[in-house]
Amino acid sequence: VSLWRNGGSCSSSPSNGAVYPASSAVMNSVKKPKMEQIQADHELFLQAFESEILNTLLLFGMKLIFSLPLLPIYLHRTLTFMSHRNGRSNARRKTFKVDDMLQTVERMKGEQDSLSLSSHLQLTFTGFFHKDEKPSQNSENEQSSVSLEVLLVKVCHKKRKDVSCPIKQVPTGKKQVPLNPDSNQTKLGSYPSLLVSSNEFEPSNSHMVKSYSLLFRVSRTGRRAANGLVNGEANENIDVIDTPSRKKRSSSHREEGETTETFVAQMTVFDKNRRLQLLDGEYEVSMQGMEDSPVSKKRATWETILDGKRLPPFETFSQGPTLQFMLRWTGDASGKSTAPVAKPLATRNSDSSSPMETRTSNHRAALMAVKESVSTDIKTRKEQVLCEPRQKLRIFYQFLYNNNTRQQTEARDDLHCPWCTLNCSKLYSLLKHLKLSHSRFIFNYVPHPKGARIDVSINECYDGSYVGNPQDIHSQPGFAFSRNGPVKRTAVTHILVCRPKRTKPSLSEFLESEDGELEQQRTYVSGHNRLYFHSDSCMPLRPQEMEEDSEDERDPEWLREKTATQLDEFTDVNEGEKEVMKLWNLHVMKYGFIADNQMNQAIMLFAENTGAHIVRRNLCRNFLLHLVSMHDFNLVTTATIDRAMARLRQIKEELPDAEEEEQQQGQALVSAGACNGNSITSTGGKQGKRTKSALTD
Amino acid sequence: MVLTGKRSEKGPACWKRRVKSEYMRLRQLKRFRRADEVKSMFNTNRQKILDRTDILNQEWKTRRIQPVHIMTSCTADSGFSEFSKQVIPLKTLNAVASVPVMYSWSPLQQNFMVEDETVLHNIPYMGDEILDQDGTFIEELIKNYDGKVHGDREGVISLSQYSDNEEEDEEEEEQQDFKVEKMEVCDGKEHPEEPRKEVLKFPSDKIFEAISSMFPDKGSTEELKEKYKELTEQQLPGALPPECTPNIDGPNARSVQREQSLHSFHTLFCRRCFKYDCFLHPFHATPNTYKRKNLENLVDSKPCGIECYIEYPAGEVAEQAKTPSKRTVGRRRGRLPNSSSSRPGTPSVSSETKDTDSDREGSRAALVKCSVLVFCAEGNSRCQTPVKMKLIGEAEAVEWSGAEASLFRVLIGTYYDNFCAIARLIGTKTCRQVYEFRVKESSIIARAPAEDEDTPPRKKKRKHRLWATHCRKIQLKKDGSSNHVYNYQPCDHPRQPCDASCPCVTAQNFCEKFCQCSSECQNRFPGCRCKAQCNTKQCPCYLAVRECDPDLCLTCGAGDNWDSKNVSCKNCSIQRGAKKHLLLAPSDVAGWGIFIKEPVQKNEFISEYCGEIISQDEADRRGKVYDKYMCSFLFNLNNDFVVDATRKGNKIRFANHSVNPNCYAKVMMVNGDHRIGIFAKRAIQTGEELFFDYRYSQADALKYVGIERELEIA
C-alpha cells in the first residue's frame, strides 16, 4: 500500500506490503507458521491487485511524464463534482473595475512586505535516522546525536560574464540532532529547532536570485556498524519527500567506516518561478553520503519502469539515512502558521499551472495524512503529527479478492484518493472520482457509523480497451496504443465545455445496485464516445466533420436533378416555361419556403439570385408570367411584381454585355430559337411522356 | 422506276421478308443502343467512384502514419540456392470492425409521393436459405403484381410465345423507328440520286401492306399510314405539340389568350408546396376560382409622364375607352364608385379610392401607389424622348408582336386599367399604346374578379365568437375520436357551402387555406391566438394535433422570424425543419443506430420521419417483401397513405424499435399534410441512441388501425 503514497513513483514490491497489521508482524519474526499463511494470503491479494495497481500507476506515470493526449487532462477544479476545489468565484467580477487593479496590487504589495518581514521559516528537527544503527536505546552510551548544519543556498541568475550560475550559501545555523530517537520518549519542545528569517528570501542586492533551497549537512563521527539490513523488513512510516526537482535522488548508503561521515540533502524552498515548494508539514528527507554519486535522473524514466526494474527509493527510506523535521512558516518565532495551506496552490496557479504540480502538492498533503492513519503501527518512531485533523470522517477501503471471499481493510482519515492522492475534500466527490477515474476497480459505497466504507474489487469487465472517443483513434491513424514506446501524434484540441442537466448529487448513486454488476460495466464516458459514419457513404466521420450536418440538406443533389427531369418530361410545356419553373423550384427547395406570407420576399430573392441568369437566357417574359401566375394564386401582390420586374430591369442594365445580347436576341429571332437552345434539345419529343393536361383531368 | 417494277414482281413475299429482316435489324440496333447506354452509364458511375476514391486516397496520403519499431520480420527461405532468402518486416494491421449492412437509400427532408407500382421491379434476393425454405414466396409476390415483372422479356414467366418479335410496351416506339428507317430505305433505294431534303416522300403502299400482314394486331394498312403520318410530322425540327403554347420569349411566340399563356404555370404550380409539379401533391388546383383579397390594382390616377395616356387630349379614343372601362370597374362591387367617371386624372380620385378601402388595405394600397410612382419616374427618365417622337407621329400604326399581345392580355387580367403599369411591364410599349390596344381589344378584355357570391360578408364581431366555438368543436372532435384519419384534399365545390357533401367535412378534416371555399367557411380551422409557446393543450392547434399555420396563427410567432431559429412558437418545428443533428453509428442494439449530437429536453422535436408516401395497397405489397427481409421502414400516416423510408428517407429511419424508448412519434397535420414528427419522450443526453416504439403513437387523437409493423432491424 505504500505504493499508494507515491503516485508518481512506481514499483510494487511484495516486501513493502507491511502496512497491514498482519504483515508487520513479520518484522518481529515471531510466529513463523502464521507468517507463512499470511504470506500466502498476501500473495493472493497481490495477485489480485498488483497488476491492477501497477497498471494504474503506469497510466498515471505515463500521464505525468508524457501527458498523453489521449488521456484527458481534467482540471479538477472545473469538474462539477469537484466544484468546491474551485476557489474562485465570479462574484467579484461584478464589481470589478480596471482602475482598481493598480490599487489592489499596491495594497497587496504593502501587506506582503509587512507580513514577510515578520515571518520566519521554522525548522524543528525530530531526528536523524540511520538504519545501520541499532535502536538508540540499545546504545545509549553511543553517540546519540549528530551535528546538523543548515545552509540556505541561493542560486542567482547568471550574468553575462559568469560561467555558471553564481551560488551563495548562507549559513543559518548548526544544531545537534538526536540520532535514531524513540519517538515515544521525547517531547516536542525538546527538539532542536532553527529559524530562518524570511528576509533571507527577499531578492538580494547584487544578484537576482533564481531559486532558494535548503542544504542540510549532517556530519557524524562514524563507527563501524553491522549490516542492519533485514530482508523483508519494511517501514510503514517511510515518507517520500519529493519535490519535483528532487525526485528519487537518494540512494542507500551502506558504507562502513570509522571516519566522520557527511550526509547531505537539498530541498528547494522557492523554485526559479518563485513558487513556494515547501509547505507546512512534516518532512523526512533522505540524506546522501557526500561521496555517493546521485542516481542519474535518466534512470527514472518510465521505460525503466516498464522493464520491471525497481528503483530503490523505498529502501532508501527504510534504511536511511534520513532526516526528519517539521517545517512551519510562522509570523513570529512562536506564533501560528501564517502560510495557509491553500496559498501555495494559489501561487502555483498563477502561471503555467499543470495538473502535475497540483498533484504533487496534494500528494504531499496526502502523505501527512497517511502518517496519521498508520501511526498506530508498532514500529512507529515518531509522535503524533501536530496537524489538526481536518476530517472527522473515516473511510475504510475494503479490498475484496479471491472471488470476493477474502478481504483486507485499510482505513484512512481523509478524503484523498488513495490511487492518485487527489484531495477530493468531500465523500461524494471522492466516490465520484474513484468511479470515474479508476475504472479498473469497482467501488461500492457502504454507509458506516464512523464514516464510510468503500468496497473495492477488481472490475472484471475492464479490459484495458480504450474507452475514449474512437474518433480520436480514427483521426490519428497509426499506433496510438503501442506499448513499445511513445509515438508522436498529431495534436487534437478538444474544448470540453459541457453543461448538461445534472441530477442532485447523492451518495445513493454509489450504493451497490440491486441488479448486479451490470451497471458497473457501463463506461462512464458519456457523450460521443463512438465512431460515427456518413449516412450516404458509410465512411467514418472525421472530427472536423462533426459539426456540419452534411447529409441533411433540404435540397440534395438527386432531388434537384429529379425536379428538372420531371419537368422536362412534359411535352406540352414549352422550354421557356420549363426553365423558369426549374429555376423557381430549385429556389424554393433551397430556401424551403413554407408560408404564403414568405412569397413576396421569396420572389424578390428569386429576382436577386437568378435575375442575371434570367436576363442572359432571355426569360424575362416567362418570369413575368410566373409572377402573374403567383399573383393569380393570391400569393404575391402586384407591388411585388412591379418591384421584381424593376429589379430585373436593373440587373439587365448592369449586365456588362446586355446590349450585345439584345442584338443577339434580334438575330435569334431570325434563327430558330437558339436563345433557349439548351432546353429545346432537352425537350425534343423523346423524353416527353407526360402532359400537364393529364394532370388536371 | 424499273427497279420498283422488278421488286413488285417479286410480290408481297419479298416485302414481307424485307420487313422482317428490317425489323430484326432495328431490334438489334435498339438492343445495341441500349447496351451502349447501360455501358456508358456504368462507366460514368465507375468514374465517379474512382474520382471519389482518389480524393479520399489523397487525403489519406497526407496523413502521417507513425512508424513503429518492427520487432519481428518474416522470412521466406528457398530450397534452391540461387534464390536468396527474402526478409520483410512484419507489419500488423489492427482488425477493423466491419460496419453493419446498409441498403442504399436516397436522402430526403420532405415526403415524396410515388405512384403504385404495377410491375414488380425486381425479384428480391435474400439469401439462398430463405428461397429454398419458402419457394412459394416469390410466386406469391409475383401474383401480387398480376404476374408483371419489370423487364420481363425473355421472361421469368414467359408471357407470350411471340416475345421474339413483339413487345407490347415498346411496340410504339419501335414502329416509329422502324417506319422512319423503312422510309429511308425505300427512298434511298428508289431515288439514290436525289438530295436528302427530298427524301420526305410518302412510301409506297406495299410497305404498309407488308407491315400490316407481318403484324396483324397493329392495325390495317390505312391505320398504319395514319400513324406514319402522325409520327413523321413530329420529326420536323422545332415543332411542338399543338396543345403547347410557344415560348413567349422565343421567336415563334404567338398572340394567344391569357388562359393559354398562363396554362402551364397555372396547372403545374402547387399552391401548397409553392413549386411546379411538386413531389407531394399529385393534383393541383388551378387558381381560377381563387378570389382576390387585396384590392391593389387601383388605377394609377397620376399620369406616369408627359406622354401618359391620361394626359392624352380628350378625343375620340378617350371617348371610346370610356364605355368598356366603365363596365369593368362597375363589376368591382362599387369599390371605386367614382373612379370611372372622374378617371381622367384629378388628384381627388386617389384619396377617395384610399378611403373606400378597409384600414388594412389602405396602407397597402398606399404602398402600391408609392412604388408605382417610383416606377413612373424611372420609366420617364429612360424612355421618354423616343416614345414621344413615335407617339405623335404614328399613334395608330404601332405593331404588336405576338408576345407583346399575349403579355398584354395576361397583364390586363391582373392590372385591369392600370395601363401605365402594364406598359412598364411589357417594356416595349408606352402606356398610350397599351391604352389604344386595350380599346381595340375591348371585346375580349379580362373581367374584374367576381366577389364570392356564396357567403355574405361576415361582421368582424362574429369572428371571435366563432373562434371560441371552434375551440369547443375541436374538443368535441377529439372526444368522439374516430379511429380513422383521412388524408386532406382541398375541397372545391363552387357556390356550395362546406356542408355534409364537402369532402373535408366527410373526412373529418378541417378546411385549410388551400380549400376553395370562402375564408369564412365554418369548417375552417381558425388558427390559434396564443401568445405563449403553443406547447400545451391550451393552444387549439396543439390540441388538434396540428402545427401552427404561419398564415393563420398570427400571434404566436409561427409566421415570423424566418431567418432565425428562435421562434417563440414551439409548435412549428416540422414545417420549419428544425431538426436536431443526428449521427449515424453502429447501434448498441442491432444494425445501425442513430445518435443525437446535442442534448434535448423532453417533448422537444428531433426529426421528421420522411420517406416515400405510398398508398395502403402499395404498402401491403411492399410490406410482404420487407417482412421477409425482417427490416421494415413502413409507417402508417393515415387511412390512405403510408410512409415508406426504405428507398428514400432521412437519418431518423435508423432509429431502432424499443419498448422502452426515449422518443415517440406523432402524426401531425402540418399545413394540410400529415407528417410524422419524432419527439423526445424524456430528456436525452448527448450521444444517446434514439429509439421509439413503432406501434403506438402518442397522438391520442390519431389512433391508427391497420398493420402494425415493428421497426426492428435484424
Side-chain angles (χ1 to χ4, degrees):
Chain A
V1 175
S2 53
L3 286 169
W4 299 4
R5 295 186 211 150
N6 49 37
S9 58
C10 47
S11 80
S12 85
S13 82
S15 58
N16 273 348
V19 212
Y20 307 100
S23 339
S24 63
V26 175
M27 269 168 295
N28 294 344
S29 57
V30 195
K31 299 161 189 168
K32 282 255 170 176
K34 198 184 173 189
M35 192 203 84
E36 270 168 13
Q37 187 201 342
I38 285 160
Q39 200 79 44
D41 191 36
H42 191 82
E43 281 299 314
L44 223 62
F45 175 80
L46 286 173
Q47 267 173 25
F49 282 93
E50 183 185 36
S51 65
E52 304 300 330
I53 293 170
L54 181 69
N55 283 333
T56 314
L57 292 175
L58 269 178
L59 279 174
F60 277 94
M62 281 157 77
K63 190 169 164 185
L64 285 174
I65 297 162
F66 295 100
S67 301
L68 284 185
L70 281 178
L71 292 165
I73 299 167
Y74 295 116
L75 297 176
H76 290 290
R77 63 172 188 277
T78 56
L79 294 172
T80 47
F81 58 91
M82 294 274 190
S83 54
H84 48 271
R85 286 177 61 94
N86 192 0
R88 291 170 303 160
S89 77
N90 298 335
R92 277 174 59 200
R93 284 190 198 166
K94 283 176 193 161
T95 54
F96 174 79
K97 275 181 194 152
V98 182
D99 304 340
D100 298 342
M101 276 177 78
L102 178 67
Q103 225 181 336
T104 319
V105 169
E106 275 174 344
R107 203 190 315 131
M108 264 171 55
K109 215 170 181 181
E111 274 172 25
Q112 249 178 9
D113 284 344
S114 59
L115 191 111
S116 56
L117 276 172
S118 62
S119 69
H120 300 272
L121 174 66
Q122 187 186 14
L123 297 166
T124 309
F125 299 97
T126 12
F128 179 75
F129 300 95
H130 203 315
K131 227 30 251 194
D132 58 357
E133 291 299 321
K134 292 266 187 311
S136 51
Q137 51 270 64
N138 295 351
S139 52
E140 253 170 77
N141 50 346
E142 297 292 328
Q143 184 195 9
S144 63
S145 67
V146 292
S147 84
L148 168 76
E149 189 184 6
V150 182
L151 295 138
L152 185 64
V153 181
K154 300 179 182 179
V155 182
C156 303
H157 278 285
K158 205 159 81 169
K159 283 190 175 173
R160 209 181 302 161
K161 58 193 176 196
D162 296 334
V163 183
S164 60
C165 293
I167 295 172
K168 274 204 261 179
Q169 291 196 355
V170 182
T172 50
K174 267 189 178 180
K175 289 284 172 199
Q176 285 297 115
V177 177
L179 177 70
N180 293 343
D182 187 351
S183 51
N184 296 333
Q185 291 172 0
T186 31
K187 285 175 200 157
L188 179 69
S190 62
Y191 287 129
S193 76
L194 216 137
L195 281 180
V196 184
S197 165
S198 59
N199 288 340
E200 294 286 352
F201 299 112
E202 293 304 310
S204 67
N205 39 16
S206 60
H207 282 281
M208 281 301 287
V209 181
K210 230 176 14 182
S211 65
Y212 298 89
S213 52
L214 288 171
L215 182 73
F216 303 102
R217 190 181 291 154
V218 175
S219 51
R220 95 181 233 236
T221 50
R223 55 174 287 279
R224 210 218 70 81
N227 193 349
L229 279 180
V230 180
N231 273 340
E233 183 191 45
N235 184 348
E236 70 280 22
N237 288 328
I238 48 164
D239 201 349
V240 182
I241 303 299
D242 44 6
T243 60
S245 55
R246 292 184 45 80
K247 232 179 200 173
K248 304 160 201 135
R249 258 276 195 87
S250 322
S251 68
S252 67
H253 173 78
R254 294 182 204 169
E255 211 163 271
E256 300 167 13
E258 296 289 331
T259 50
T260 305
E261 284 178 291
T262 312
F263 301 94
V264 287
Q266 194 170 359
M267 292 181 77
T268 308
V269 186
F270 289 98
D271 67 5
K272 61 183 173 190
N273 295 321
R274 284 211 46 93
R275 285 181 296 209
L276 181 61
Q277 299 285 3
L278 291 181
L279 303 177
D280 283 15
E282 195 170 343
Y283 290 83
E284 179 166 354
V285 64
S286 88
M287 309 291 286
Q288 214 171 354
M290 279 292 257
E291 49 273 48
D292 275 1
S293 66
V295 176
S296 135
K297 264 190 185 175
K298 278 177 187 166
R299 283 198 59 210
T301 62
W302 69 299
E303 280 157 320
T304 48
I305 299 163
L306 234 149
D307 290 342
K309 271 191 200 167
R310 275 196 264 121
L311 292 172
F314 306 116
E315 273 150 57
T316 313
F317 282 101
S318 57
Q319 291 149 21
T322 57
L323 175 73
Q324 276 193 5
F325 63 92
M326 281 184 289
L327 188 146
R328 271 163 70 90
W329 291 89
T330 50
D332 55 85
S334 58
K336 273 188 78 182
S337 168
T338 51
V341 179
K343 191 180 167 189
L345 251 184
T347 41
R348 273 152 212 240
N349 288 337
S350 60
D351 62 342
S352 71
S353 147
S354 82
M356 190 171 120
E357 286 161 341
T358 322
R359 182 168 295 113
T360 354
S361 76
N362 290 320
H363 166 72
R364 189 207 58 81
L367 295 175
M368 298 200 304
V370 166
K371 267 188 197 169
E372 282 182 70
S373 65
V374 295
S375 58
T376 46
D377 287 357
I378 307 160
K379 285 280 280 179
T380 296
R381 289 186 295 189
K382 65 170 187 297
E383 83 300 302
Q384 294 291 327
V385 177
L386 277 179
C387 270
E388 66 283 356
R390 260 171 250 156
Q391 298 288 338
K392 307 260 178 338
L393 223 57
R394 217 170 151 77
I395 292 163
F396 301 94
Y397 292 91
Q398 185 155 292
F399 295 87
L400 305 172
Y401 60 101
N402 198 14
N403 290 330
N404 293 353
T405 53
R406 311 294 290 270
Q407 59 186 53
Q408 290 205 31
T409 313
E410 159 81 0
R412 299 190 55 146
D413 279 348
D414 63 350
L415 289 158
H416 293 270
C417 168
W419 276 267
C420 58
T421 71
L422 177 74
N423 184 1
C424 300
S425 314
K426 283 180 185 163
L427 183 59
Y428 177 82
S429 311
L430 174 68
L431 285 162
K432 197 91 181 168
H433 164 79
L434 289 173
K435 278 217 161 187
L436 295 178
S437 300
H438 302 289
S439 49
R440 282 167 183 275
F441 303 103
I442 294 169
F443 299 95
N444 279 316
Y445 164 69
V446 182
H448 191 274
K450 280 187 190 166
R453 198 184 89 206
I454 298 173
D455 289 346
V456 186
S457 54
I458 305 282
N459 183 0
E460 301 291 345
C461 304
Y462 183 87
D463 55 0
S465 64
Y466 179 60
V467 288
N469 190 345
Q471 281 172 22
D472 294 341
I473 308 178
H474 177 68
S475 61
Q476 302 174 350
F479 304 90
F481 299 100
S482 164
R483 279 278 165 107
N484 293 322
V487 286
K488 200 176 165 191
R489 274 175 274 193
T490 42
V492 176
T493 309
H494 293 286
I495 300 167
L496 302 165
V497 180
C498 178
R499 292 181 194 278
K501 283 221 155 181
R502 295 183 193 283
T503 48
K504 228 177 165 237
S506 152
L507 286 172
S508 60
E509 67 185 270
F510 305 112
L511 294 172
E512 191 167 10
S513 55
E514 276 124 39
D515 51 342
E517 302 295 292
L518 267 176
E519 202 255 340
Q520 299 285 341
Q521 295 168 18
R522 275 186 52 198
T523 51
Y524 277 86
V525 184
S526 72
H528 302 293
N529 53 345
R530 62 182 79 235
L531 182 60
Y532 296 109
F533 292 84
H534 284 287
S535 57
D536 52 353
S537 58
C538 291
M539 294 289 287
L541 196 72
R542 285 175 292 154
Q544 61 266 36
E545 293 167 331
M546 270 291 277
E547 291 312 310
E548 70 220 35
D549 204 352
S550 53
E551 292 100 46
D552 269 357
E553 68 237 324
R554 243 183 315 226
D555 52 344
E557 198 195 349
W558 76 269
L559 214 57
R560 278 180 275 147
E561 214 175 301
K562 176 80 181 164
T563 189
T565 50
Q566 212 167 286
L567 281 170
D568 274 339
E569 278 173 13
F570 286 105
T571 51
D572 53 355
V573 178
N574 70 49
E575 64 280 355
E577 291 166 343
K578 278 180 184 174
E579 191 145 1
V580 170
M581 287 176 184
K582 283 182 213 167
L583 288 173
W584 172 254
N585 275 7
L586 294 179
H587 178 68
V588 173
M589 279 159 71
K590 185 177 175 190
Y591 293 96
F593 300 112
I594 49 164
D596 294 2
N597 64 29
Q598 280 178 297
M599 281 303 121
N600 288 321
Q601 195 191 331
I603 290 278
M604 289 317 292
L605 198 62
F606 183 51
E608 199 63 44
N609 291 353
T610 57
H613 184 77
I614 283 169
V615 169
R616 243 182 254 120
R617 306 277 299 165
N618 185 25
L619 294 166
C620 295
R621 284 178 186 144
N622 276 302
F623 177 73
L624 180 57
L625 287 184
H626 161 69
L627 296 185
V628 170
S629 165
M630 294 282 286
H631 180 265
D632 289 350
F633 278 100
N634 224 339
L635 294 170
V636 294
T637 60
T638 45
T640 311
I641 299 179
D642 292 337
R643 271 193 298 148
M645 287 308 283
R647 180 76 192 112
L648 202 66
R649 274 196 293 272
Q650 203 182 329
I651 289 168
K652 196 174 187 170
E653 276 156 29
E654 281 165 9
L655 273 183
D657 50 354
E659 281 181 23
E660 283 174 38
E661 265 190 342
E662 264 168 46
Q663 283 178 355
Q664 279 174 359
Q665 278 167 29
Q667 291 166 359
L669 285 171
V670 185
S671 71
C675 43
N676 289 320
N678 224 12
S679 37
I680 277 187
T681 51
S682 62
T683 51
K686 261 187 202 170
Q687 284 174 302
K689 276 170 194 160
R690 298 202 299 162
T691 54
K692 62 189 174 188
S693 26
L695 275 180
T696 41
D697 296 343
Chain B
M1 291 304 123
V2 183
L3 277 170
T4 11
K6 253 185 193 171
R7 203 171 295 153
S8 61
E9 273 172 349
K10 281 180 184 171
C14 160
W15 274 111
K16 219 169 165 177
R17 198 156 36 82
R18 282 196 55 185
V19 165
K20 181 155 188 175
S21 70
E22 195 60 31
Y23 177 67
M24 294 311 276
R25 194 181 67 84
L26 283 170
R27 270 204 60 187
Q28 201 151 15
L29 210 72
K30 196 169 174 178
R31 212 177 295 145
F32 284 151
R33 215 183 297 148
R34 195 173 153 68
D36 283 345
E37 254 172 50
V38 170
K39 258 185 227 164
S40 69
M41 204 80 101
F42 177 82
N43 282 333
T44 47
N45 270 343
R46 188 91 208 136
Q47 194 54 45
K48 263 186 198 168
I49 294 168
L50 284 176
D51 291 347
R52 178 100 186 102
T53 355
D54 276 349
I55 293 168
L56 288 170
N57 283 341
Q58 285 302 319
E59 265 175 48
W60 274 88
K61 266 180 202 158
T62 56
R63 298 201 206 174
R64 283 185 309 154
I65 296 198
Q66 308 299 340
V68 72
H69 297 291
I70 291 112
M71 298 300 176
T72 41
S73 54
C74 295
T75 53
D77 287 311
S78 167
F80 303 99
S81 54
E82 57 263 39
F83 296 110
S84 57
K85 193 168 97 174
Q86 292 184 27
V87 182
I88 200 157
L90 176 74
K91 284 182 188 172
T92 47
L93 292 177
N94 293 328
V96 177
S98 63
V99 293
V101 175
M102 185 192 287
Y103 296 102
S104 65
W105 54 285
S106 304
L108 201 67
Q109 295 307 322
Q110 256 194 338
N111 291 335
F112 190 109
M113 184 169 274
V114 291
E115 287 170 18
D116 286 11
E117 282 165 3
T118 48
V119 291
L120 182 61
H121 273 192
N122 66 312
I123 293 176
Y125 175 76
M126 36 198 109
D128 292 330
E129 321 81 48
I130 290 179
L131 290 184
D132 288 344
Q133 275 171 22
D134 195 1
T136 56
F137 171 67
I138 301 291
E139 277 171 39
E140 276 170 23
L141 196 67
I142 293 169
K143 218 180 282 168
N144 278 341
Y145 290 90
D146 298 328
K148 284 183 199 150
V149 178
H150 176 76
D152 196 7
R153 201 164 303 185
E154 270 70 49
V156 178
I157 313 156
S158 58
L159 249 185
S160 67
Q161 297 302 315
Y162 304 104
S163 56
D164 288 3
N165 47 17
E166 275 186 359
E167 286 138 48
E168 236 112 8
D169 33 329
E170 285 167 30
E171 190 68 51
E172 204 74 7
E173 278 175 47
E174 297 217 354
Q175 233 160 16
Q176 178 190 333
D177 292 350
F178 178 72
K179 286 198 189 119
V180 174
E181 282 281 334
K182 200 83 215 161
M183 173 190 76
E184 279 174 13
V185 168
C186 304
D187 292 345
K189 273 185 185 156
E190 282 164 25
H191 317 280
E193 71 282 354
E194 271 178 12
R196 194 100 172 118
K197 259 232 153 173
E198 298 292 309
V199 161
L200 290 164
K201 199 176 168 190
F202 209 72
S204 81
D205 292 348
K206 285 177 197 130
I207 297 171
F208 290 107
E209 276 165 28
I211 293 170
S212 79
S213 63
M214 188 71 196
F215 308 107
D217 57 323
K218 288 295 161 197
S220 69
T221 318
E222 287 309 307
E223 279 168 353
L224 283 175
K225 266 189 193 169
E226 283 303 306
K227 211 167 204 174
Y228 174 74
K229 269 185 207 155
E230 211 177 279
L231 290 167
T232 42
E233 258 170 35
Q234 229 183 338
Q235 296 299 306
L236 291 168
L240 288 163
E243 65 271 27
C244 183
T245 323
N247 184 3
I248 198 167
D249 279 313
N252 304 323
R254 273 188 297 140
S255 168
V256 291
Q257 287 309 306
R258 182 176 202 267
E259 285 70 32
Q260 206 177 335
S261 299
L262 287 168
H263 187 260
S264 301
F265 290 100
H266 281 171
T267 46
L268 291 184
F269 187 73
C270 175
R271 198 235 168 282
R272 295 161 75 180
C273 297
F274 309 115
K275 280 187 288 229
Y276 290 100
D277 192 32
C278 76
F279 298 128
L280 195 54
H281 307 108
F283 305 107
H284 307 134
T286 46
N288 305 348
T289 46
Y290 277 110
K291 283 143 300 239
R292 182 158 307 167
K293 285 184 220 138
N294 316 320
L295 259 188
E296 55 204 347
N297 303 299
L298 304 168
V299 176
D300 200 12
S301 51
K302 279 200 181 132
C304 63
I306 307 161
E307 293 301 329
C308 182
Y309 76 101
I310 296 171
E311 300 289 323
Y312 200 68
E316 49 205 296
V317 183
E319 287 298 313
Q320 277 174 21
K322 253 183 179 175
T323 351
S325 64
K326 214 174 211 164
R327 195 177 57 210
T328 35
V329 174
R331 285 241 165 120
R332 291 158 103 189
R333 217 173 45 93
R335 288 249 177 168
L336 306 169
N338 47 4
S339 65
S340 60
S341 53
S342 63
R343 190 157 43 92
T346 49
S348 65
V349 175
S350 73
S351 61
E352 269 171 21
T353 48
K354 216 167 163 184
D355 293 341
T356 49
D357 284 325
S358 69
D359 295 345
R360 192 163 56 94
E361 279 157 357
S363 60
R364 188 174 288 166
L367 191 82
V368 171
K369 200 163 290 166
C370 182
S371 61
V372 163
L373 283 174
V374 171
F375 294 145
C376 282
E378 263 180 32
N380 268 346
S381 58
R382 237 175 1 104
C383 62
Q384 190 180 343
T385 12
V387 165
K388 198 183 204 169
M389 297 292 286
K390 254 194 227 160
L391 253 180
I392 293 160
E394 11 149 29
E396 294 292 322
V398 190
E399 213 172 283
W400 283 67
S401 71
E404 283 167 339
S406 298
L407 208 56
F408 165 78
R409 290 190 198 103
V410 166
L411 292 170
I412 198 86
T414 305
Y415 283 82
Y416 307 110
D417 291 341
N418 194 343
F419 303 119
C420 299
I422 293 171
R424 240 174 350 255
L425 291 173
I426 293 176
T428 48
K429 293 281 179 287
T430 62
C431 62
R432 209 163 116 184
Q433 288 164 327
V434 171
Y435 178 64
E436 283 159 9
F437 192 76
R438 156 77 173 71
V439 172
K440 258 198 277 172
E441 288 253 309
S442 53
S443 54
I444 50 146
I445 217 74
R447 299 161 182 212
E451 283 297 322
D452 40 307
E453 291 108 25
D454 7 272
T455 37
R458 214 169 30 181
K459 278 161 203 155
K460 272 194 174 171
K461 225 182 189 177
R462 275 183 62 195
K463 224 168 187 172
H464 194 75
R465 205 193 57 201
L466 202 83
W467 185 71
T469 48
H470 257 297
C471 291
R472 273 202 298 280
K473 221 166 32 176
I474 295 155
Q475 193 75 49
L476 215 83
K477 248 189 180 177
K478 219 197 131 207
D479 292 341
S481 61
S482 71
N483 288 331
H484 303 276
V485 176
Y486 292 93
N487 203 44
Y488 162 77
Q489 189 73 43
C491 65
D492 184 11
H493 38 79
R495 274 174 256 290
Q496 277 272 315
C498 288
D499 49 23
S501 64
C502 169
C504 294
V505 176
T506 48
Q508 287 193 304
N509 281 323
F510 290 107
C511 282
E512 301 286 337
K513 58 186 172 188
F514 314 115
C515 287
Q516 304 278 32
C517 58
S518 100
S519 56
E520 272 85 39
C521 165
Q522 295 286 326
N523 192 39
R524 283 222 172 182
F525 191 84
C528 70
R529 303 284 183 282
C530 299
K531 288 185 177 63
Q533 299 187 320
C534 300
N535 51 3
T536 63
K537 295 202 171 172
Q538 296 288 308
C539 170
C541 298
Y542 186 87
L543 189 66
V545 205
R546 295 165 56 98
E547 281 208 342
C548 285
D549 188 316
D551 294 313
L552 289 177
C553 310
L554 299 170
T555 54
C556 64
D560 307 319
N561 295 332
W562 294 113
D563 300 329
S564 78
K565 287 205 165 176
N566 283 328
V567 195
S568 54
C569 176
K570 298 286 174 240
N571 192 28
C572 57
S573 305
I574 296 179
Q575 52 184 300
R576 288 188 178 228
K579 59 184 186 305
K580 296 283 176 290
H581 191 161
L582 302 177
L583 296 160
L584 180 78
S587 166
D588 289 339
V589 181
W592 288 98
I594 203 76
F595 300 83
I596 197 148
K597 184 168 176 291
E598 65 261 324
V600 293
Q601 289 169 14
K602 192 181 171 182
N603 289 332
E604 223 178 307
F605 172 70
I606 289 172
S607 179
E608 183 190 350
Y609 190 91
C610 296
E612 284 180 323
I613 290 189
I614 55 175
S615 69
Q616 290 282 356
D617 293 343
E618 176 73 11
D620 287 344
R621 282 195 292 269
R622 289 189 183 189
K624 290 222 168 64
V625 182
Y626 298 156
D627 290 348
K628 266 280 178 243
Y629 273 114
M630 303 288 287
C631 170
S632 173
F633 295 101
L634 291 173
F635 199 124
N636 259 328
L637 187 67
N638 52 36
N639 237 34
D640 304 311
F641 293 107
V642 175
V643 171
D644 180 10
T646 312
R647 303 175 191 179
K648 306 182 181 75
N650 54 358
K651 285 188 197 169
I652 197 73
R653 73 198 278 281
F654 291 107
N656 277 313
H657 165 82
S658 167
V659 285
N660 184 24
N662 51 11
C663 300
Y664 62 90
K666 187 157 118 179
V667 178
M668 299 189 83
M669 176 62 90
V670 182
N671 299 337
D673 298 310
H674 280 127
R675 291 164 82 168
I676 304 162
I678 306 293
F679 297 85
K681 201 176 178 187
R682 56 168 172 81
I684 302 175
Q685 301 272 305
T686 304
E688 267 191 72
E689 182 170 358
L690 301 182
F691 298 96
F692 62 91
D693 192 328
Y694 206 27
R695 286 169 295 187
Y696 307 105
S697 72
Q698 243 200 4
D700 299 326
L702 303 166
K703 282 181 194 149
Y704 296 122
V705 288
I707 315 139
E708 282 173 354
R709 294 186 181 84
E710 277 182 38
L711 185 76
E712 260 168 349
I713 299 165

